[in-house]
Every structure is written in C-alpha cells, then in structure tokens.
Amino acid sequence: MEVSKDQMLALLSHDLSNSAQMLGCFLVSSYSVNTDANSHLKAENLILLGDALLREREYRRAIHTYKQALQYYKLVPKQNSTATRSSLSNRSSSPSSFNVSAINENEVKFKIASCHSSLNETKAALVEIEGIPSKGRTLQMSLLMAKLYRNSRHSRFAIACYKECLRQCPYVIEAIMALAELGVIAKDIISCFSQTSMKNGRASCEQVDSNRWLQRYVEAQCCIASNDYKGGLELFGELLQRFPNNLHILLEIAKVEAIIGKNDEAIMNFEKARSLDPYIVTYMDEYAMLLKTKSDYSKLNKLVHDLLNIDPTRPEVFVALSVLWERKDERGALSYAEKSIRINERHIPGYIMKGNLLLAMKRPEAAVLAFRGAQELRSDLRSYQGLVHSYLQFSKIKEALHAAREAMKAMPQSAKSLKLVGDVHASNSSGREKAKKFYESALRLEPGYLGAALALAELHVIEGRNGDAVSLLERYLKDWADDSLHVKLAQVFAATNMLQEALSHYQAALRF
C-alpha cells in the first residue's frame, strides 16, 4: 500500500508540519518512486518533505532535502521538464498526472536561500537567490534579495532590489523604511509608485489621492533617516491624525522621541501603544531604556516579565533584560546586550546598550567599537553621543571633536549636537569659553534643553560663578524640574555653604 502525495499535501495545508515531515519519510522511501524512471516523482516528494522541514525550522535538513530534489529534477527528460514549469501549488491532485504536476526550480532555490538566511548564512543565501533569473523573481524573492545585499553591505544592489519591490507593490513598508535608511530621497522612492501604476494601467485621481498618506509616510521616514527629527515628527503627527491609534505610527513617534531625549513624551506614547496592544514587542527595549532613566524599576520589571512571556527569542527582550540587570550585574547585562546582537546583527539598540555598558565599565575603546557598529547601521544622536563620551574617557580629544562635529553637520538644527561640541571643548580648560558659546547656542535653539543648562551651570561653578549657576538653574525649576536639576542646585548651594537650601534640593531630588 503506497503513501499518497495528497495525504502529505493535506497535512501541510492544515499546518501539521511535524506529522507531515514524518509522513514525508514514508513518501520519499516508497518503493514505487525509488526507480530511475520516477525521478520527477521523487523530486516532487522531496520538495514536500523539504516544505515540512522548513516549517519545522529544521533548516539544514530542509536545505539538504531541497538540494536532493533538484538533483533528481535534473534527471527528468528535458521534453517533460519544460512542460511542467508551473507552481507546485497548482499541480493536479492526482499523483499519477505526470505532465501537469509541477516543479518550480526557482521556488525551490528561493526556499534554500530562505533557509540559509534563517541560519545567518548570507553568502550561501545570495548564491542561491542570484541563480534565479530576474524575470522569474517574485516580490518575496526580490525582498529577500534586497535584505541579503543590505546585510552584506552591497548597498547599491540592495537599493535596486528594494525599488523593484515597490514597483511590484508600493505598500511594502519595510522596503520604504530600508530605502530611507540607505539614503534614498523621498522623491526617488515615490517615483517607484507611479511605475507601479503604469504597469497596472492609468491610475485614477481617487487612487492618487488615497495614496497621499503613503507619500507622507515616505517623507516622514526620509526625514528621520536624514536626522531631521522635527520634520519627521510633524509628518508622523499628521498621519496619526488621519489614522488615530495607529500602532505602527505611535511606535515610530515614540522611538524618535526617545532618540532625541523627549523622554516623557516617548514614555507616554509607548504606554499608549501597550494599552492598544499589550503583546507588542517592537521597540519595547527603547521603552525599557527610558524607564531606567526615570528609575521606574517596578514598571521595568513588569515590562521584562511581560516580554519574556510574549516571545523570549526576540532581540528586544534581551536588550530589556540588559537594562534590568545593569544595576545588579554589569557583566551579566553586557552578555544580554551581546546576545541581542547575535540574534539580529542589525539591532541598533543592542549596540547602543552594549556601548553604554562598556562606557560605564571604563572600557572606552570597546565602547567606541559598539557605537561605531550602531552608526554603520544608522547614524543617530545616541551613537554620536556615545562616541564623543567614549573618546573623552580615554582623552582622545581630537577624535571626540571630530565625532561631535560630524553630529553637528548631520543635525545642524539640533541643540543636542551643539552641546556635544561644547562637551568636548569643556573637557579642556583652554576651551571653556568656546564650550560656553556652544551651550548658550544650544539653549537659544532649544530653551527647555536641561542638559545644556546643567552643563553651562557646571562651567559657571568651575570658574567660581556660583551665583550665575544658581540663577540659571532656578529659571528651569518651574517648567523643567527633575532630580538632576535639584541635585545640581544642591551641589552649588553646598559649595557656597548654603546648607539649608542644599538639603532642601536634595530632598526634592529624592521625591522624583
């Protein structure tokens, strides 16, 4: 009694992949297919077994099985193989219908490439997917190819593949985000949409109008990628008005707010996102880092507990664990941050967390490598800040100044980048006057930037102008007070023997 392919297909269609891979062992060892005359049937059965193994995430077994299938397929007489190139999913349900049963060689190569990709074997994956003719590539194939090229740092090829994805379908959001991060301007990305319309016939006015939100989305992502955070937030805000409670937009806004130091706003938006979907994992490591800055360890504990219950395999979970463990065990925290990078080599918060931990552990040379790793993926304010502080920690003033100026060049309208240049000058007694000018420029650009105010107050104290420091800091008490402001005021008052005032501000700091 023989095993039918229909039974195997039925198991796969019901997603019973474990049973399917066991049944597949019977199918491929069936006597009737173990003859030279049945190479095509043997190849088909091996592909079905490979599909079951792929779904079970037994990637190496799947690769081996698919390659066996292709070897058998090569033995099929050419006159038959040309007549059978349609999708396996379109094959006849009859196991005896040879001419209409199908093996799509391109699909099998794509599955092999997908397995290699899941094993982080980028070169091997590229070898397989590059073997698929361009005319035979589906949207899914083009997207995987783009990711593989990007991971192997072939940016030009990656851009071409991502654009091809958008020509096939303008709603591939991850392609839009990737193109923005790769430095493609909004106009060039949007031009791919019109090419899609031309392929599908002339687009109506209604269709063009309905796609305007997508164009705004492209513009927002390009603003963020070019460090125009203000412009990006404004565009995301417009989109949020049109699509209220849009989880993806809320998370994008919160992530940007976290990057630029709008911590309270970011926390509020992350909490709103969690109220909409308590099982969301995306960007929750960013939220964890914010909770640590607020010393809100009860919420941080709950967040990490929730994330571990949702999906303990995600890189965000290991960054959140790293944040939680930092005050207990820095080495343990570092191992969690490194684990997040091993899971996903493109996970930027993992590099940022690793760099900050190494900086706290007085290992600035290693911290530089971590922050450079983040920058290679996407330069943002935090990687620049990390680089500057790392270089300053081992007295590489020239390199620190270069990194700070790079930040200022990338973000000319950012008070944070101006402060970075000020921090470098302030590290040297001869540069304090320059530092003062940069801090004052930062405050003119962003009057509520407490970091610049605290740095300027510290300069005043160093140069014996305690009164100027107090008057500067007291201006911030009403609208921007936090524990760091009260601590700094307490230190200034203590230095001038105003002990009662110092005690009052230390007590105020403890209430935060």
Side-chain angles (χ1 to χ4, degrees):
M1 186 176 181
E2 299 301 327
V3 178
S4 166
K5 284 196 291 281
D6 291 346
Q7 294 160 347
M8 183 77 170
L9 286 165
L11 289 174
L12 288 170
S13 68
H14 287 95
D15 208 22
L16 300 174
S17 51
N18 190 34
S19 290
Q21 66 100 357
M22 288 187 278
L23 182 65
C25 294
F26 289 90
L27 190 65
V28 299
S29 61
S30 175
Y31 174 77
S32 64
V33 297
N34 279 314
T35 63
D36 291 340
N38 282 317
S39 296
H40 184 279
L41 200 57
K42 182 81 170 178
E44 271 198 319
N45 293 345
L46 283 164
I47 290 168
L48 289 173
L49 175 58
D51 290 347
L53 294 168
L54 175 58
R55 293 188 192 185
E56 284 288 287
R57 299 183 180 182
E58 293 198 46
Y59 300 120
R60 296 219 180 275
R61 288 184 68 198
I63 291 168
H64 177 68
T65 305
Y66 285 134
K67 286 188 173 182
Q68 278 186 304
L70 290 178
Q71 286 172 354
Y72 278 103
Y73 180 64
K74 287 175 184 176
L75 300 175
V76 177
K78 288 183 179 179
Q79 64 269 24
N80 288 326
S81 66
T82 55
T84 59
R85 284 180 178 269
S86 57
S87 170
L88 186 59
S89 60
N90 294 330
R91 60 179 294 283
S92 166
S93 60
S94 170
S96 61
S97 54
F98 182 83
N99 284 333
V100 292
S101 62
I103 290 175
N104 187 326
E105 192 176 357
N106 293 340
E107 280 291 336
V108 179
K109 287 181 178 178
F110 169 66
K111 288 170 183 175
I112 295 172
S114 298
C115 290
H116 281 302
S117 178
S118 296
L119 293 166
N120 293 320
E121 295 170 353
T122 302
K123 286 183 180 178
L126 273 172
V127 167
E128 293 297 332
I129 207 158
E130 285 176 340
I132 300 171
S134 57
K135 289 183 179 179
R137 287 180 202 140
T138 63
L139 175 59
Q140 199 176 8
M141 293 173 187
S142 294
L143 186 59
L144 177 61
M145 200 169 190
K147 290 177 180 177
L148 292 170
Y149 278 134
R150 191 179 184 194
N151 288 346
S152 55
R153 299 182 184 178
H154 296 311
S155 297
R156 187 164 58 88
F157 295 135
I159 288 168
C161 290
Y162 280 125
K163 284 184 174 181
E164 180 55 34
C165 291
L166 294 181
R167 289 188 193 103
Q168 293 182 53
C169 174
Y171 298 99
V172 185
I173 302 291
E174 58 191 301
I176 292 172
M177 294 175 74
L179 285 169
E181 289 169 4
L182 286 164
V184 181
I185 61 173
K187 185 175 74 173
D188 287 353
I189 298 173
I190 293 167
S191 71
C192 297
F193 303 164
S194 60
Q195 292 169 44
T196 307
S197 300
M198 288 168 67
K199 280 184 181 180
N200 299 331
R202 198 179 186 91
S204 68
C205 293
E206 290 81 3
Q207 285 174 318
V208 172
D209 186 62
S210 66
N211 279 348
R212 281 192 181 146
W213 71 264
L214 189 59
Q215 295 178 21
R216 287 283 179 273
Y217 180 83
V218 172
E219 290 164 3
Q221 289 291 0
C222 287
C223 281
I224 301 306
S226 62
N227 298 307
D228 179 9
Y229 299 118
K230 183 181 177 184
L233 285 174
E234 286 174 0
L235 288 163
F236 277 136
E238 287 177 25
L239 286 167
L240 198 60
Q241 286 182 336
R242 179 165 179 183
F243 301 98
N245 295 329
N246 182 310
L247 184 64
H248 173 66
I249 297 298
L250 265 176
L251 289 170
E252 290 298 301
I253 289 171
K255 178 191 73 173
V256 174
E257 288 170 336
I259 288 171
I260 63 175
K262 289 191 169 184
N263 294 354
D264 292 336
E265 294 93 330
I267 287 171
M268 182 183 72
N269 281 316
F270 278 129
E271 288 176 350
K272 187 174 181 181
R274 273 176 55 86
S275 71
L276 291 170
D277 183 352
Y279 300 102
I280 190 72
V281 176
T282 305
Y283 300 157
M284 285 301 110
D285 44 0
E286 301 276 7
Y287 179 41
M289 287 189 257
L290 291 172
L291 292 175
K292 179 187 168 291
T293 63
K294 294 290 183 182
S295 299
D296 196 340
Y297 289 101
S298 62
K299 278 188 181 177
L300 179 57
N301 265 301
K302 184 180 185 310
L303 174 65
V304 172
H305 180 267
D306 290 347
L307 293 175
L308 284 167
N309 283 330
I310 296 165
D311 186 353
T313 66
R314 292 274 294 269
E316 295 94 334
V317 180
F318 285 93
V319 176
L321 277 166
S322 178
V323 174
L324 182 64
W325 275 83
E326 183 178 1
R327 66 172 182 164
K328 303 174 188 174
D329 177 6
E330 284 181 336
R331 290 185 180 276
L334 182 61
S335 70
Y336 282 129
E338 289 172 337
K339 173 74 172 174
S340 75
I341 296 168
R342 285 197 298 274
I343 293 170
N344 181 359
E345 291 181 351
R346 299 193 60 80
H347 193 64
I348 292 171
Y351 290 95
I352 298 293
M353 189 66 202
K354 181 180 177 179
N356 287 333
L357 284 165
L358 290 166
L359 204 51
M361 296 165 72
K362 308 296 183 190
R363 293 173 58 190
E365 295 96 334
V368 165
L369 295 177
F371 290 123
R372 282 289 180 205
Q375 275 207 328
E376 285 177 12
L377 296 170
R378 187 184 66 239
S379 294
D380 68 26
L381 184 63
R382 293 175 304 181
S383 58
Y384 282 120
Q385 289 172 328
L387 277 174
V388 169
H389 296 144
S390 298
Y391 283 130
L392 288 178
Q393 197 175 95
F394 64 113
S395 302
K396 294 277 187 179
I397 306 301
K398 184 179 177 181
E399 289 82 353
L401 188 59
H402 178 72
R405 284 174 174 164
E406 272 188 348
M408 195 169 65
K409 184 179 178 181
M411 296 166 277
Q413 295 303 309
S414 168
K416 309 285 192 304
S417 63
L418 288 171
K419 179 188 174 287
L420 272 183
V421 181
D423 289 343
V424 179
H425 288 302
S427 67
N428 192 323
S429 58
S430 63
R432 286 173 189 161
E433 194 56 39
K434 284 184 179 178
K436 182 183 174 186
K437 288 177 181 177
F438 276 103
Y439 292 149
E440 288 171 345
S441 296
L443 289 172
R444 281 194 297 273
L445 196 59
E446 191 181 324
Y449 182 20
L450 190 57
L454 291 169
L456 182 56
E458 180 65 23
L459 273 185
H460 287 320
V461 171
I462 289 170
E463 295 182 343
R465 298 190 300 272
N466 290 359
D468 290 344
V470 169
S471 62
L472 171 65
L473 295 173
E474 284 183 336
R475 293 205 299 270
Y476 286 83
L477 277 176
K478 184 180 178 183
D479 297 318
W480 294 290
D482 71 358
D483 57 341
S484 62
L485 178 58
H486 282 290
V487 167
K488 179 55 70 178
L489 271 166
Q491 290 171 345
V492 178
F493 280 125
T496 52
N497 279 329
M498 299 174 71
L499 301 183
Q500 188 59 46
E501 288 85 349
L503 179 61
S504 173
H505 283 288
Y506 277 129
Q507 290 171 336
L510 290 171
R511 289 195 287 272
F512 277 88

